[in-house]
Amino acid sequence: MKVLAKSLLLQKIALKHLKNGDEIGLVPTMGALHRGHVSLIDKSVKNNDVTIVSIFVNPTQFSPGEDFLQYPRSLEKDLFVCKKSHVDYVFVPNVNEMFSANHKTFVEVKELQDILCGKFRTGHFRGVATMVAKLFNISFADKAYFGMKDFQQLKILEKMAKDLNFRTKIIACPTVREKDGLALSSRNAYLSFEERDLSACINKILKQAASEFKNKDLNSILKAAEVKLQKIPNLKIEYIQAVNSKDLSSINKNSEFCCLVLAVRLGKTRLIDNVLMRK
Ligand code: AMP
């Protein structure tokens, strides 16, 4: 396994693999790797000749006042995890390598970036899309692996890849959870013991709501879920909403493929989750 910090070098190496006819898989991450990340890495290693994992806490996707400085960083452990998972290249650029002081170019996916989490995290998806576009250009990846836990991110990147004619195919990977249903996230480390206990309710409430989708009116399902969430101490709902699972568009009573998405704050920790549902 090679660890690289320079984009030009990785680009040269990736181009060589491309010319050799190797299939290249890319797994973009912000590090603090957990089983969710490993599930993406395993898929890439299994289905490609070469796997590149990027580890970069991207400052452009943090809004002012967010947790950029506190975000968990554990490079040594992450490299060990990558090595154990048979990753070929780990890309660990520094901030200046990706976003020099003179960086002027950004990617925006209009409308999709402004709804749901976008309403609460100004500029977040612009930062994500720009970073991922750069990684696609550096890695020449055939496939890039993203988790369904970040459902809006996944849909935005699918749209970006299509609109900008990237050769990279986006592969959606299922959410890996704790036994009690909490979606694994690097930010779960912020939860206190009590909050961690309470956090298990979030997925349970979502699943219950989704199970009623076939037979009940959507508004009453959402209201009931909201009431249950509000009973959790120290929990603040940012949003709970049902959207079209293809493209995040609004749904009507005839919509078949939907996704119930939510974001909450439990104490200081922001948690997101979603479940797919079908009429
Ligand atoms: P992050 O390091 O949080 O930016 O996540 C990097 C990638 O891992 C993104 O595509 C996430 O959607 C994905 N990911 C994070 N948590 C999970 C999880 N619990 N299950 C599956 N994928 C995940």
Side-chain angles (χ1 to χ4, degrees), residues 28-31 34 36-37 39-40 61 71 145-150 153 173-177 183-186:
T29 82
M30 296 209 298
H34 51 64
H37 298 113
S39 73
L40 273 51
Q61 70 184 68
Y71 195 83
Y145 296 79
F146 295 94
M148 291 178 67
K149 194 205 70 153
D150 299 275
Q153 169 176 285
C173 304
T175 303
V176 176
R177 298 178 180 281
L184 295 192
S185 161
S186 307

